[in-house]
């Protein structure tokens, strides 16, 4: 939606004129502050000093941070910190509950260990088994499939593949996990934990034991050029994580597409939970080319995204990210983005940013998560808090897509097909649209796909609004 000319609180009145104004580049100071508090060690001061890591001191720090930075600080509850035994429960109690019709309740703010945060955004790594299932999409009586395996994980080493049917995980049957909507056996608590999976593929059942470990992420994969039934050359790549380590993969992929003379582009964002605004801007710049530049030529000057903080922080922290000039950019007038309920935050910002400069964005798959807000993470005593600090708008002042972006071509995902396979229904639909300028009239519904009745779509939308994506749903202003 287009943000109102006079947005509701807590946006600052001084910024109501236009989000397209060039804002002071003062985020650097805030980023330094965030880095300082994330890396800060606990000192030995008294219980009421911020140098202390007592429960009282941590709750006081959380309360002050939320009062100064939280986007909905004017609207959020103000509970007594003494009623909560630890800072995490107090943090949750401070989250906005949806009292303003302009904004739904906060389902995006989160906390995690600073070690985990720094590992992901600093090192480009994570800790776990490396296997994910279609838990969000599946309902009782349907098979539970492996939907994604991290290429550098122990699960990949042990031969676990997308399309393996999960019969049990650490003794819990798939049916039990589906009914309970609880897939926690797949989440490791520490490196060295073990997960015993009973899997079935092509009628053959096997047992695999995978070990949790720290491994490097693979943010960009699957770059290839395929031919549509009508003979068009289509470049395809999957972008899973908007982290700094995605840069070389993006550059290599788009160099390949340029060299092969692709006519259409498909970017797979179906499992992209977001990350850095800057990396989303980089991806969008490869797609847009000179369309991201003022007047269509020269350097990248058009607005990709404006980040708007609360009225206390707007003057120092509001910032505009702009399209960049990339040597191997494609500059296509139309792009196909494969999306689903795990497409969130920085990946949704790519959709909004490209539409803001009139690139035709054809989304194929399912409705996205709905997170037009982001965080400037701050940490204290080993915990990093990613409370919502800003909302995002594009060059046309459009944002607040809290219900997500609907798919231009709604296509059920087939978890038995590899992503990027020429028989993958999402890629098939994109190729059909590239040839014919329209979505396919009908695709065969794969086994295990969710029903597509109006009632089923409404149920999925309600589930999505209540659900916290099991991917890392983040939008960070750097």
């Amino acid at each position: 939606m287009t943000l109102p000319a006079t947005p509701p609180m807590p946006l600052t009145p001084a910024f109501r004129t236009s989000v397209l104004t060039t804002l002071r580049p003062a985020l650097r100071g805030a980023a330094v502050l965030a880095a300082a508090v994330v890396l800060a060690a606990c000192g030995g001061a008294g219980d009421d000093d911020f140098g202390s890591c007592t429960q009282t001191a941590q709750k006081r720090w959380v309360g002050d941070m939320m009062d100064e930075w939280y986007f909905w600080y004017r609207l959020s509850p103000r509970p007594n910190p003494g009623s909560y035994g630890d800072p995490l429960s107090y943090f949750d109690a401070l989250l906005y509950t949806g009292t303003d019709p302009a904004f739904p309740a906060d389902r995006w703010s989160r906390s995690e260990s600073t070690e985990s945060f720094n590992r992901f955004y600093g090192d480009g790594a994570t800790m776990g088994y490396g296997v994910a299932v279609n838990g969000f999409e599946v309902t009782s009586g349907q098979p539970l499939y492996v939907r994604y395996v991290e290429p550098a994980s122990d699960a990949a080493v042990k031969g676990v593949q997308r399309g393996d049917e999960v019969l049990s995980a650490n003794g819990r049957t798939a049916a039990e996990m589906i009914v309970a909507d609880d897939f926690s056996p797949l989440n490791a608590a520490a490196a060295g934990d073990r997960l015993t999976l009973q899997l079935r593929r092509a009628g053959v059942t096997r047992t695999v034991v995978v070990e949790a470990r720290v491994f490097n992420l693979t943010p960009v994969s699957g770059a290839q050029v395929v031919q549509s039934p009508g003979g068009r050359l289509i470049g395809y790549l999957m972008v899973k994580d908007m982290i700094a380590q995605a840069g070389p993969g993006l550059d290599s992929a788009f160099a390949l597409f340029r060299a092969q003379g692709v006519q259409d582009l498909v970017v797979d964002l179906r499992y992209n939970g977001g990350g850095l605004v800057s990396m989303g801007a980089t991806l969008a710049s490869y797609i847009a080319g000179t369309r991201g530049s003022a007047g269509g030529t020269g350097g990248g000057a058009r607005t990709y995204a404006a980040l708007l903080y609360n009225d206390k922080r707007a003057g120092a922290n509001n910032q505009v990210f702009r399209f960049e000039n990339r040597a191997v950019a494609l500059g296509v007038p139309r792009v196909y983005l494969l999306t689903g309920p795990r497409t969130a935050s920085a990946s949704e910002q790519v959709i909004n940013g490209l539409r803001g400069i009139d690139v035709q964005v054809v989304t194929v798959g399912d409705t996205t998560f709905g997170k037009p807000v982001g965080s400037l993470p701050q940490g204290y005593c080993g915990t990093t808090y990613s409370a919502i600090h800003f909302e995002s708008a594009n060059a046309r002042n459009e944002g607040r897509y809290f219900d997500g972006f609907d798919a231009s071509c709604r296509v059920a995902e087939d978890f038995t097909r590899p992503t990027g396979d020429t028989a993958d229904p999402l890629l098939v639909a994109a190729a059909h649209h590239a040839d014919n300028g329209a979505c396919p009239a009908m695709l065969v519904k794969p086994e295990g796909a969710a029903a597509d009745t109006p009632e089923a779509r409404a149920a999925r939308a309600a589930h999505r609004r209540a659900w916290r994506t099991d991917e890392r749903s983040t939008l960070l202003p750097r």
Side-chain angles (χ1 to χ4, degrees), residues 4-5 19 23 74 115 123 142 144 167 180 219 287 398 408 473 478:
V19 299
L23 303 175
R74 289 180 178 270
E115 178 186 17
D123 302 336
Q142 294 179 326
L144 182 67
L167 303 180
I287 296 168
E398 295 165 340
S408 309
S473 175
R478 55 185 174 89

Side-chain angles (χ1 to χ4, degrees), residues 101-356:
F103 301 103
D106 181 3
R107 60 188 173 112
W108 309 281
S109 293
R110 56 173 288 168
S111 61
E112 64 180 301
S113 74
T114 297
E115 178 186 17
S116 173
F117 178 88
N118 288 341
R119 178 189 294 138
F120 194 93
Y121 288 104
D123 302 336
T126 192
M127 188 282 295
Y129 302 117
V131 58
V133 297
N134 62 329
F136 177 83
E137 297 85 353
V138 73
T139 58
S140 182
Q142 294 179 326
L144 182 67
Y145 286 115
V146 172
R147 62 172 174 83
Y148 186 77
V149 178
E150 285 283 356
S153 69
D154 191 48
V157 172
K158 299 292 177 58
V160 181
Q161 302 176 55
R162 174 181 166 92
D164 285 341
E165 183 181 354
V166 179
L167 303 180
S168 68
N170 277 353
R172 291 190 62 190
T173 68
E176 290 171 344
M177 291 187 287
I178 291 168
V179 169
D181 195 21
D182 176 14
F183 305 93
S184 56
L186 299 169
N187 300 326
D193 287 354
R194 294 196 168 192
L195 170 66
T196 301
L197 292 170
Q198 189 179 33
L199 305 172
R200 181 164 59 202
R201 174 178 284 272
V204 177
T205 300
R206 71 190 193 279
T207 299
V208 179
V209 179
V210 297
E211 184 172 317
R213 65 188 189 190
V214 175
F215 58 86
N216 290 331
L217 296 162
T218 306
V220 178
S221 62
Q224 59 179 319
V225 177
V226 299
Q227 193 171 56
S228 72
R232 296 183 67 82
L233 292 180
I234 299 175
Y236 167 90
L237 77 159
M238 171 175 271
V239 183
K240 184 173 180 295
D241 304 297
M242 298 293 192
I243 56 178
Q245 290 76 8
L250 289 177
D251 204 59
S252 296
F254 280 88
L256 169 68
F257 300 155
R258 282 280 294 259
Q260 294 290 319
V262 301
Q263 297 161 286
D264 291 286
L265 176 66
V266 176
V267 181
D268 197 336
L269 299 176
R270 74 184 86 179
Y271 301 146
N272 190 311
L276 308 181
V277 175
S278 58
M279 189 50 60
T282 296
L283 172 59
S285 298
Y286 279 112
I287 296 168
T290 56
R291 288 174 174 81
S293 305
T297 59
R302 299 184 72 181
T303 294
Y304 168 69
L307 309 185
L308 314 178
Y309 287 72
N310 70 31
D311 58 339
K312 289 184 178 182
R313 305 306 312 175
N317 294 99
N318 280 346
Q319 186 182 21
V320 166
F321 282 78
R322 300 190 177 278
F323 284 90
E324 307 159 4
N325 185 14
R326 291 283 161 176
V328 292
L330 284 184
V332 292
R334 175 184 65 192
V335 63
Y336 296 92
L337 301 182
L338 308 188
T339 63
R342 295 176 178 82
T343 307
S345 207
S347 54
E348 290 177 297
Q349 195 179 53
V350 171
I351 300 172
N352 200 47
L354 288 170
R355 288 180 174 173

Side-chain angles (χ1 to χ4, degrees), residues 443-457:
L443 287 175
V444 176
K445 179 174 172 288
E447 180 186 5
D452 196 27
T453 64
E455 294 77 14
R457 288 196 295 272

Side-chain angles (χ1 to χ4, degrees), residues 49-93:
D49 295 329
F50 283 154
S52 168
C53 285
T54 64
Q55 299 294 301
T56 299
Q58 289 185 64
K59 285 187 287 184
R60 179 183 167 195
W61 183 92
V62 167
D64 285 0
M65 180 272 292
M66 293 290 280
D67 184 64
E68 180 68 19
W69 287 91
Y70 190 44
F71 186 72
W72 293 291
Y73 79 95
R74 289 180 178 270
L75 305 171
S76 63
R78 301 285 178 139
N80 182 351
S83 301
Y84 299 88
D86 60 82
L88 298 184
S89 60
Y90 179 52
F91 174 71
D92 288 342

Side-chain angles (χ1 to χ4, degrees), residues 371-450:
K371 186 173 183 284
V373 289
S375 308
L376 181 63
Q378 301 183 30
Y380 191 69
C381 291
T383 299
T384 294
Y385 298 86
S386 296
I388 296 305
H389 292 148
F390 58 83
E391 67 173 324
S392 174
N394 66 14
R396 295 197 301 234
N397 198 21
E398 295 165 340
R400 299 189 184 173
Y401 35 90
F402 293 108
D403 291 328
F405 290 107
D406 288 334
S408 309
C409 297
R410 179 166 171 75
V411 181
E413 185 168 358
D414 184 349
F415 297 100
T416 68
R417 297 281 185 183
T419 56
D421 185 85
T422 53
D424 176 356
L426 275 66
L427 184 53
V428 169
H432 183 281
H433 193 287
D435 284 340
N436 302 284
C439 302
M442 180 181 297
L443 287 175
V444 176
K445 179 174 172 288
E447 180 186 5

